[in-house]
Amino acid sequence: MKFCIVDDDPISIFLTQHLIAAEGITDIETFQYAEEAVQSLLNRPVSEAPDVLLLDLNMPVMSGWEVIEALEPVGEEYHKRCKIYILTSSLDVSDSAKAEDHPLVSGFIYKPITEEDIKVLIAEKVG
């Protein structure tokens, strides 16, 4: 199983990586800049997409929603392979409603992500 984390906060990336690794998963790709993540994700075959993409919403230059928009051209095929989960510390109800309605978004997770959140993500992808 492969995870990808896109988050502008290096501490959040570190903690999330640690929780994922504690579940025995070592294939973890991280991006602190959304633009780099989009380029990397689109410049590889869909078959090499991560199983789980954890995407921060509020990032400078390119937001999590803009990342999802950039992935829309390969969206349906990509969504079959990769589950996208929104990570946020925002309490904006419109973000959670938009995530629930978006066909490429599998779920919404409030920061800080927990060990239980990671276990649920793994179970959903495996099961």
Side-chain angles (χ1 to χ4, degrees):
M1 180 174 277
K2 180 177 184 173
F3 273 73
C4 180
I5 305 164
V6 182
D7 193 329
D8 63 314
D9 179 0
I11 294 170
S12 182
I13 288 175
F14 175 79
L15 294 172
T16 305
Q17 273 184 295
H18 179 74
L19 290 172
I20 295 167
E23 294 302 314
I25 296 169
T26 57
D27 196 351
I28 307 166
E29 185 174 25
T30 65
F31 295 95
Q32 201 170 338
Y33 302 100
E35 309 89 328
E36 289 177 10
V38 168
Q39 279 203 334
S40 178
L41 294 169
L42 290 177
N43 287 329
R44 63 177 88 165
V46 174
S47 61
E48 294 177 17
D51 296 294
V52 176
L53 173 59
L54 299 175
L55 180 60
D56 186 22
L57 267 190
N58 299 312
M59 295 181 285
V61 184
M62 184 178 220
S63 74
W65 292 122
E66 291 170 315
V67 170
I68 290 170
E69 284 176 26
L71 295 176
E72 282 180 355
V74 293
E76 191 174 315
E77 190 176 342
Y78 203 85
H79 190 60
K80 290 176 187 174
R81 167 86 175 119
C82 176
K83 300 292 184 192
I84 300 174
Y85 294 90
I86 300 294
L87 287 177
T88 189
S89 53
S90 167
L91 299 177
D92 187 343
V93 176
S94 67
D95 282 332
S96 60
K98 185 175 179 179
E100 284 179 24
D101 292 337
H102 201 290
L104 297 182
V105 177
S106 297
F108 197 83
I109 301 169
Y110 289 99
K111 288 182 179 181
I113 195 166
T114 66
E115 181 180 347
E116 188 59 35
D117 291 329
I118 299 296
K119 287 180 181 185
V120 168
L121 296 179
I122 293 168
E124 285 178 1
K125 186 61 185 174
V126 172

